[in-house]
Amino acid sequence: MNRKRLSPDVFFSRVVNETAHLIAHWMSVGFAHGVCNTDNFSLLSITIDYGPFGFMESYDSNFVPNTSDDEGRYSIGAQANVGLLNLQKPLEALKPLLTSDQLSQMKSDSDAARQHRMQGVNPRYVLRNWMAESAIRKTEKNDFSEVALLQKTLTEPFEEQEEVESAGYSSKPPSWAQQLRVSCSS
């Protein structure tokens, strides 16, 4: 097998780019990781350690799903900056191998540019804590209809679905949903 070796510059550029895409995908669906520290980030730019994550029901940059994060360190609005901070660690390790033009890859886009890109990829339906909770409550009564509906919904999240609209999945969450929180031990 002939594998092409990446230069440190290309490698780090890919990690930065893929991490930015990952966080943009999180943000596009209102996903808050909850503990975005360095040991929960991957050079493969995949989401790991699904501890105290949650989905923002309505826009609030201070939304924190983690009950133990009283300071809001990992709020949804801080995820991009935490990602940047986390990328500083591999950058420090790779710095002696990088060329001088590599840091320029770390500059952020404008808010308007990010918003424009995010609006182009936002799905109509996103799994929310209240939807999962509702399905769990029904399954506890041996009713798996909402699990089936969620599965159908999330298979085609960009397509408007009449049954899903009737279930309110694209509407504002019910008032009881504001009380849902998770922790690392959930």
Side-chain angles (χ1 to χ4, degrees):
M1 184 182 326
N2 186 9
R3 293 184 186 195
K4 184 178 177 183
R5 183 178 289 200
L6 297 177
S7 70
D9 292 9
V10 171
F11 168 75
F12 189 67
S13 290
R14 286 188 184 173
V15 171
V16 169
N17 190 46
E18 293 302 314
T19 299
H21 282 120
L22 174 67
I23 293 173
H25 284 282
W26 287 353
M27 299 294 288
S28 74
V29 297
F31 176 80
H33 188 284
V35 283
C36 291
N37 48 15
T38 54
D39 67 326
N40 291 331
F41 261 65
S42 165
L43 290 177
L44 299 175
S45 302
I46 57 174
T47 305
I48 58 175
D49 192 357
Y50 288 90
F53 72 91
F55 288 93
M56 181 173 52
E57 301 297 344
S58 57
Y59 185 75
D60 175 6
S61 63
N62 296 315
F63 171 70
V64 178
N66 183 348
T67 58
S68 62
D69 185 4
D70 295 327
E71 294 114 26
R73 180 176 181 181
Y74 302 119
S75 67
I76 196 165
Q79 289 183 141
N81 288 333
V82 171
L84 185 62
L85 180 67
N86 289 341
L87 289 168
Q88 295 296 327
K89 296 304 177 187
L91 177 61
E92 289 171 18
L94 292 171
K95 202 168 195 167
L97 306 173
L98 299 174
T99 62
S100 60
D101 66 340
Q102 181 65 35
L103 293 176
S104 66
Q105 299 297 319
M106 296 291 286
K107 293 180 181 174
S108 296
D109 287 338
S110 70
D111 283 343
R114 278 194 299 271
Q115 287 176 2
H116 178 73
R117 281 196 315 276
M118 286 171 50
Q119 289 170 348
V121 296
N122 284 335
R124 182 163 181 85
Y125 310 108
V126 177
L127 179 63
R128 301 290 187 205
N129 290 349
W130 71 268
M131 296 173 188
E133 180 66 23
S134 181
I136 290 167
R137 288 178 184 178
K138 285 185 178 180
T139 59
E140 288 172 342
K141 296 176 184 173
N142 232 9
D143 177 356
F144 295 89
S145 62
E146 194 150 1
V147 171
L149 180 60
L150 282 173
Q151 183 177 14
K152 179 181 182 282
T153 303
L154 298 174
T155 301
E156 296 180 335
F158 292 90
E159 304 297 321
E160 187 170 337
Q161 303 172 42
E162 189 175 321
E163 184 181 9
V164 178
E165 292 294 314
S166 298
Y169 285 0
S170 64
S171 303
K172 289 186 176 186
S175 59
W176 59 265
Q178 297 299 323
Q179 306 303 316
L180 295 175
R181 305 253 338 240
V182 295
S183 70
C184 287
S185 60
S186 293

